[in-house]
Amino acid sequence: MASSAHSRGSLRTERQVPTARGNGGGNPPARSRSSSAKRSLRVSSDDDKNSGRVRVAVRVRPKTTEENDLDFTDCVELQPELRRLKLKKNNWSSESYRFDEVFTESASQRRVYEAVAKPVVESVLDGYNGTVMAYGQTGTGKTYTVGRLGKDDPSERGIMVRALEDIFANISPGSDIMAISYLQLYLETIQDLLAPEKTNIPVVEDPKTGEVSLPGSAIVQIKDLNQFLELLQVGEANRHAANTKLNTESSRSHAVLLVHINRSLEGKKENDASSLANVTNSELSSHHLPHLLKSKLLIVDLAGSERIDKSGIEGHMIEETKFINLSLTSLGKCINALAENSPYIPTRESKLTRLLRDSFGGTARTSLIVTVGPSARYYSETASTIMFGQRAMKVVNAVKLKEEVDYESLCRKLEYHVDYLTSETDRQQKLRENEKEQLEKKLQEKEAFLVETEKKFSVKYEHLEKERNHLVLETQSLLKALNIQKSEKDKLSQEVGHLEISLKQAKEQELENLNYQKVLAETTQMYEKKIAQLIKQQEDESSRCADLEEQLSGMRNYLSGNKKSVQVQEKEIDELKREILKLNEDAASTIQSLRARNNELSLEKELLNGELKTLKDKLLYEERKRRCLEDEIIILKNALNDDNAEYESKRPYKGDITTRSTLSLGGPANIPKSNRSRETISGQKDTISKIFEEGKTVNVDLHLDIENFLIHHLAVLTRDSYAQQYVNQERIVEEGGLDTLLLLLESSEDANIHRVTAGAIANLAMNSSNQGLIMGKGGARLLANIASKTEDPQTLRMIAGAIANLCGNEKLHVTLKKDGGLKALLGMVRCGHSDVIAQVARGFANFAKCESRVFVIVCSKGHRKGRSLLIEDGVLNWMATSSATFSASTRRHIELAFCHLAQNEDNTLEIIRSGGIKELIRISRESSREDTRNLAKKALDSNPAFSTEIHAI
């Protein structure tokens, strides 16, 4: 659109905003002035002095359940009426900071939007660029404040949805255009959330205007709020998120929503013919040219800053955290430079600062909301966030209004006007021609009709004249004939009178005779009919009497039979009453005996519980002793090989060495002193690690061919310690270390080797690139086989941890089920060890969470995935019946897995059958984590079958 306008020679003007909005020297546009009069905007005293300053608000989230349980003190004290926040380092040291707005933990989403984002949205509607950004530590509510959809509860909608609601309410659908782009900055690469296939989108800056653009990103024009909500849901499903100690859905990328708005200052429609008819040449002057306002709104949800020791992240998530902290550090440098009026602003150090170049120190109106937690546990993160907001308040932007002459609209109006006039002229000319032709046709028809009428009239006149003459003659002849007939008629009338008199007399006699005969015949017929009817009635009455007699005899027989049956039933009822009385007496005596027995059993139960508690304490003591003995045995075995390990570490290695070292366990050189310290053992492990760093991994693999148990044990320990170093995992795999571990796991029968080997494989399985290799080489099948044979809790814990890491990759789920990994996890519950069950629960949680993420993506494309693989192996029944018996950490994993399974509608029937509805209700009310409770409530509310089952319960 911009390029086409430029090709037509469009004129762009930029005007700086006056210090007080609406009170400057120039008059604002008519549309802007009327819309601003309807809106309510809260302006502070600082904004009156400088409307371009970055406005900063602070919001404190409520305490979590974990913080309430651990009873951390608050390090934040709010003074909303003074717009101040007091940060307490301890009970006697505190500092006070002033902000533009201060929101307590009970502040509503609507109030936050109206105070922070609504002024920016109104400026964008008036033609200015605007930015709304959320900054803070992870888990403090940034995504809740900015990107909350609020489908179930509209009051929880975040800034994105409310901003689009206001924009739709103030723009004209016919003349105004709005489009959006939704992007994420992940690992310093810009990715399109609406089109996931578009990755590594470049950031391009215009050398003349300095505007930032993103060529290649998807720009979707939206018509209504429902379309925007669907696009926002698709983008959130494609955004990177992970489960950490601080947040179960922690954002691992910066999300940026770009809203492009083009508004016409002319409040006219293009199809208004009356307005087009009034266009004159004087209106083509620059003073009356139509102008177009182009503005852009950025809503930024930054990923939270975090510390590795507090968030508990590991593996690839550490790399994500590095990039997040680097980009936030670059943003902080730019804010510091702008606040100190430094001549150099380091905006090119990060793509985030390049995207926000216009927001800080540019021409946009910017509002920043910083989110903090109240707990003193995160004092340093809270202090850093507050100082960031204080520095941002010192940044002043030169807010400018950008207008363009809308030559395209004017050209379209003129072209439409020309087309309208041409078509109107042609239409009028065609109408005149059609009317002329119709009038000529009517005139010809009338003339022909007149001629024919004259001819017909003349012919009729002649014919009527002839008929008149003929009628005159006929009339004369008829008068003569009438006179003759009149005389004859008089004679005949006299004769007729005499005949009528005689005829009347004869008729009277005949009538009397006929009437008498008719009366006789009618009476005879009437009596015959009555006699026949009486005969029929007599026959019917006789047949009816016979039927009644038969019915009467039948009823007598039936009554006699009923009397006998009633007597029998009365006897049976008396007997049943006697039996019921006896049963009631027996039941009463039985209940009394059972109550006495119940009291005896309760006493025995209390005694048994006391004995069981003492036995558990003894078992725990024996278990600790056994672990201490195992540790001492391992230390002694490692000490036996110290001299040999030093010898092997000091030998010169070559690429083609094939000789093997031999050990003599009976020699005095191989018997170490009993007081060798653990520091010597750790030093030997460091020496072995250096061998791997120098690329001599092959010689350690040669030790694995020696049948001696101690050599095997040393190689496994070396593998384990080396595999724990994340940076060396790639070299282990390249040198054949994974194949050696799997071979040792399959061939060895020693429990210690199984335990340490499984631990090394678990460390390797933390890297997603190694998970496919482990599955491809049959690692899951070997681990499942070892789990079915061993009863050692430590070995089972290592195996469960390895399989749990593999469960975090959704691409391996089907293969993992075929190799028996899920059945092995469920089978390891039999040992009853809390650490093993915790790893099993973690694996099921990872598996269910990956399935839920895939289910959301599949449903957004209109397909169905089918029910979960966990249900086929009986995992659901175990979770539904046993979750309340485990520790808090294990129970949290089981609850999270259960909630993710409930998100898939294909699992509904199995969850209902297993009694999972009651478990979901319990989780939604009693879970220790708020996000888990919300997830359970979402599953219950969104599934109609669950709602029906709840009402039935």
Side-chain angles (χ1 to χ4, degrees), residues 780 784 803 815-826 828 844:
I803 297 177
T815 307
L816 189 62
K817 181 181 182 302
K818 289 180 180 179
D819 290 346
L822 298 181
K823 288 185 179 179
L825 272 180
L826 188 60
M828 281 184 273
F844 289 150

Side-chain angles (χ1 to χ4, degrees), residues 39-55:
R39 305 190 200 107
S40 61
L41 181 61
R42 180 180 179 182
V43 182
S44 64
S45 61
D46 294 338
D47 292 333
D48 292 334
K49 297 177 182 179
N50 192 348
S51 62
R53 183 180 64 79
V54 176
R55 300 184 76 250

Side-chain angles (χ1 to χ4, degrees), residues 166 198 209 366 397 426 660 671 737 743 785 812 847 905 945:
D166 275 0
K198 295 181 180 181
T209 62
T366 302
N397 295 340
D426 294 340
R660 301 182 179 183
I671 301 176
L743 179 61
N785 187 23
L812 306 177
F847 196 98
E905 294 181 356

Side-chain angles (χ1 to χ4, degrees), residues 58-78:
V58 61
R59 186 180 193 183
V60 180
R61 66 157 171 80
K63 272 191 173 183
T64 63
T65 306
E66 182 180 0
E67 292 172 350
N68 285 326
D69 293 340
L70 298 177
D71 195 19
F72 283 107
T73 59
D74 292 347
C75 66
V76 175
E77 181 181 346
L78 301 180

Side-chain angles (χ1 to χ4, degrees), residues 344-412:
Y344 171 69
I345 311 298
T347 57
R348 304 188 66 84
E349 289 186 359
S350 172
K351 290 186 179 180
L352 177 62
T353 54
R354 294 177 67 188
L355 284 174
L356 301 177
R357 181 175 183 178
D358 193 45
S359 304
F360 293 97
T363 61
R365 190 184 300 277
T366 302
S367 286
L368 173 66
I369 180 167
V370 294
T371 59
V372 297
S375 175
R377 181 183 182 184
Y378 308 108
Y379 172 82
S380 59
E381 290 84 351
T382 302
S384 176
T385 302
I386 291 173
M387 294 309 299
F388 179 88
Q390 289 293 306
R391 289 190 292 270
M393 290 179 67
K394 299 178 182 179
V395 178
V396 179
N397 295 340
V399 182
K400 293 182 180 180
L401 179 69
K402 296 184 179 180
E403 296 181 359
E404 290 185 2
V405 177
D406 195 0
Y407 285 111
E408 291 183 357
S409 176
L410 180 61
C411 182
R412 284 196 301 271

Side-chain angles (χ1 to χ4, degrees), residues 59-105:
R59 186 180 193 183
V60 180
R61 66 157 171 80
K63 272 191 173 183
T64 63
T65 306
E66 182 180 0
E67 292 172 350
N68 285 326
D69 293 340
L70 298 177
D71 195 19
F72 283 107
T73 59
D74 292 347
C75 66
V76 175
E77 181 181 346
L78 301 180
Q79 297 174 340
E81 65 280 355
L82 301 177
R83 298 183 188 176
R84 285 190 171 276
L85 180 145
K86 184 179 291 186
L87 183 62
K88 298 185 294 183
K89 189 172 184 180
N90 46 45
N91 293 332
W92 57 86
S93 176
S94 63
E95 294 181 0
S96 180
Y97 301 95
R98 180 178 176 83
F99 289 92
D100 294 303
E101 290 290 341
V102 175
F103 300 109
T104 63
E105 58 188 17

Side-chain angles (χ1 to χ4, degrees), residues 22-196:
N23 298 326
N27 294 325
R31 181 189 295 273
S32 175
R33 184 166 59 250
S34 61
S35 62
S36 298
K38 295 179 181 179
R39 305 190 200 107
S40 61
L41 181 61
R42 180 180 179 182
V43 182
S44 64
S45 61
D46 294 338
D47 292 333
D48 292 334
K49 297 177 182 179
N50 192 348
S51 62
R53 183 180 64 79
V54 176
R55 300 184 76 250
V56 181
V58 61
R59 186 180 193 183
V60 180
R61 66 157 171 80
K63 272 191 173 183
T64 63
T65 306
E66 182 180 0
E67 292 172 350
N68 285 326
D69 293 340
L70 298 177
D71 195 19
F72 283 107
T73 59
D74 292 347
C75 66
V76 175
E77 181 181 346
L78 301 180
Q79 297 174 340
E81 65 280 355
L82 301 177
R83 298 183 188 176
R84 285 190 171 276
L85 180 145
K86 184 179 291 186
L87 183 62
K88 298 185 294 183
K89 189 172 184 180
N90 46 45
N91 293 332
W92 57 86
S93 176
S94 63
E95 294 181 0
S96 180
Y97 301 95
R98 180 178 176 83
F99 289 92
D100 294 303
E101 290 290 341
V102 175
F103 300 109
T104 63
E105 58 188 17
S106 61
S108 64
Q109 292 279 75
R110 180 182 183 86
R111 181 170 175 266
V112 173
Y113 167 76
E114 290 180 348
V116 176
K118 190 170 184 178
V120 178
V121 174
E122 292 177 351
S123 298
V124 172
L125 288 171
D126 291 340
Y128 304 95
N129 290 341
T131 301
V132 180
M133 188 173 71
Y135 178 91
Q137 182 196 4
T138 183
T140 54
K142 298 184 297 303
T143 304
Y144 175 82
T145 302
V146 175
R148 184 76 169 184
L149 294 179
K151 292 194 292 185
D152 299 330
D153 187 1
S155 64
E156 292 188 356
R157 288 181 172 176
I159 291 175
M160 288 184 180
V161 181
R162 293 182 184 271
L164 267 293
E165 284 180 345
D166 275 0
I167 292 173
F168 275 118
N170 288 278
I171 64 174
S172 301
S175 59
D176 300 338
I177 300 173
M178 181 171 62
I180 67 167
S181 297
Y182 198 18
L183 311 168
Q184 71 172 350
L185 180 60
Y186 178 68
L187 299 180
E188 203 59 22
T189 60
I190 299 177
Q191 302 174 3
D192 199 325
L193 292 176
L194 302 181

Side-chain angles (χ1 to χ4, degrees), residues 553-617:
S553 62
M555 290 297 292
R556 287 174 180 173
N557 297 330
Y558 178 72
L559 289 173
S560 63
N562 282 341
K563 287 180 180 179
K564 295 178 181 179
S565 63
V566 166
Q567 293 175 358
V568 173
Q569 289 177 359
E570 287 178 351
K571 292 180 181 179
E572 292 178 354
I573 289 170
D574 294 335
E575 292 177 357
L576 290 173
K577 286 181 178 179
R578 295 189 194 98
E579 291 179 359
I580 289 170
L581 290 173
K582 290 180 181 180
L583 290 174
N584 287 334
E585 292 174 357
D586 296 339
S589 61
T590 305
I591 289 170
Q592 291 178 358
S593 62
L594 288 175
R595 285 177 178 173
R597 180 61 178 168
N598 187 22
N599 294 330
E600 293 175 0
L601 291 175
S602 61
L603 295 174
E604 292 179 1
K605 183 180 178 181
E606 291 178 357
L607 294 174
L608 291 174
N609 286 333
E611 294 177 359
L612 183 61
K613 186 175 181 180
T614 55
L615 288 175
K616 285 183 178 179
D617 294 338

